[in-house]
Amino acid sequence: MRMHHHSLGITAHTRHSLRFACASLVLAALGGLAPSESGAQTRYTCRDDNGNHYTSFRACPQGMKTTSVSAGPTASEYRSERAPSRAQPSAPASDHQQYMSERCRTLSDTLRSAYSRGIKADVQSGMRREFERDCRDEESDASSRYHQEQRDARRQRRDEDRQQQMAQQASQADEARRGQQCAESRRILHLKKARTDLSEGERSDLKRFEDAYLARCAR
């Protein structure tokens, strides 16, 4: 009988130990799962009709396409959602467009700003086909005309600069020649004025010579 009670005591102790061990395993398992549940959060990448991408921790709203779904950091670690990508500014219009028809200019401008204006891809494809069919040759001719006029304008400017340089050189040569002539006239005038034996006619000639010298050289 004593042996039977001893056997029951062992059984109760064993059951208590088993219950404690199971509880410990459950707590450990829950503790291992908690960080995974709280430390990760589903992240959605969405794209609108204009091609702009957004990142959110909620499912993409209606009208936007979900491009990827992944596990990411918690909301506290990932404070702000990704800002929408900015549309690239439209390139400036080409100078040769001034020689194109109004229809082709309008079509070219629309294609150039299609992305920033949110024009759908299939519409852009149709516009490109129309431009290639109706306006490509016209654009090529307009570009050739513009560049030819630019070359002609540059050549004209070079010719004008060359003519101006030649005129300046000729003016400098005339000025140098006049200086030499005035120097010679001044020398002759001094020699004749130094003479005391001039006749009445020679003195008249000297006066006319001096007047001409003053008119030409005294400037």
Side-chain angles (χ1 to χ4, degrees):
M1 189 68 179
R2 184 181 307 167
M3 184 179 294
H4 177 69
H5 286 300
H6 181 68
S7 177
L8 289 176
I10 293 174
T11 302
H13 179 72
T14 301
R15 288 174 181 175
H16 179 73
S17 298
L18 289 173
R19 284 196 298 271
F20 181 77
C22 288
S24 299
L25 290 173
V26 171
L27 290 174
L30 291 176
L33 290 175
S36 176
E37 295 174 353
S38 62
Q41 190 169 1
T42 303
R43 186 168 65 220
Y44 300 86
T45 302
C46 313
R47 186 180 65 197
D48 61 14
D49 291 337
N50 295 330
N52 298 319
H53 289 78
Y54 306 83
T55 302
S56 175
F57 292 105
R58 296 182 181 180
C60 297
Q62 187 176 2
M64 299 183 69
K65 183 178 180 180
T66 302
T67 59
S68 66
V69 179
S70 60
T74 62
S76 60
E77 295 173 348
Y78 198 90
R79 296 289 182 185
S80 60
E81 297 179 355
R82 182 181 176 183
S85 59
R86 294 183 178 179
Q88 295 295 327
S90 301
S94 301
D95 293 327
H96 63 259
Q97 281 193 10
Q98 58 184 308
Y99 302 114
M100 296 170 62
S101 64
E102 182 178 358
R103 173 174 173 267
C104 288
R105 281 200 309 269
T106 301
L107 191 57
S108 177
D109 290 338
T110 304
L111 282 170
R112 184 167 41 82
S113 59
Y115 182 80
S116 61
R117 295 169 61 181
I119 298 177
K120 293 184 178 180
D122 57 339
V123 178
Q124 294 185 44
S125 298
M127 294 172 66
R128 288 193 185 93
R129 287 193 297 270
E130 181 180 355
F131 186 87
E132 290 293 329
R133 183 187 67 238
D134 300 336
C135 300
R136 179 60 69 188
D137 291 342
E138 181 178 327
E139 183 188 40
S140 178
D141 293 341
S143 178
S144 298
R145 177 181 174 184
Y146 170 78
H147 287 96
Q148 182 62 47
E149 289 188 355
Q150 292 297 305
R151 288 191 293 269
D152 292 343
R154 288 193 296 268
R155 181 165 50 250
Q156 182 178 355
R157 287 194 297 269
R158 288 195 299 267
D159 293 342
E160 290 175 353
D161 291 341
R162 184 162 48 250
Q163 292 175 1
Q164 184 178 2
Q165 184 178 8
M166 292 173 62
Q168 185 177 4
Q169 292 174 351
S171 176
Q172 292 173 350
D174 289 342
E175 187 67 23
R177 185 165 52 251
R178 189 182 67 85
Q180 293 174 356
Q181 291 173 351
C182 288
E184 179 63 17
S185 298
R186 187 166 53 250
R187 185 186 69 80
I188 295 172
L189 185 61
H190 289 166
L191 290 175
K192 287 187 176 184
K193 278 187 173 184
R195 290 179 56 183
T196 59
D197 58 343
L198 294 177
S199 64
E200 187 67 26
E202 289 175 333
R203 283 194 295 269
S204 297
D205 291 341
L206 178 59
K207 181 66 171 62
R208 286 193 298 271
F209 184 82
E210 184 176 14
D211 290 341
Y213 167 78
L214 293 174
R216 178 176 175 79
C217 301
R219 312 184 261 167

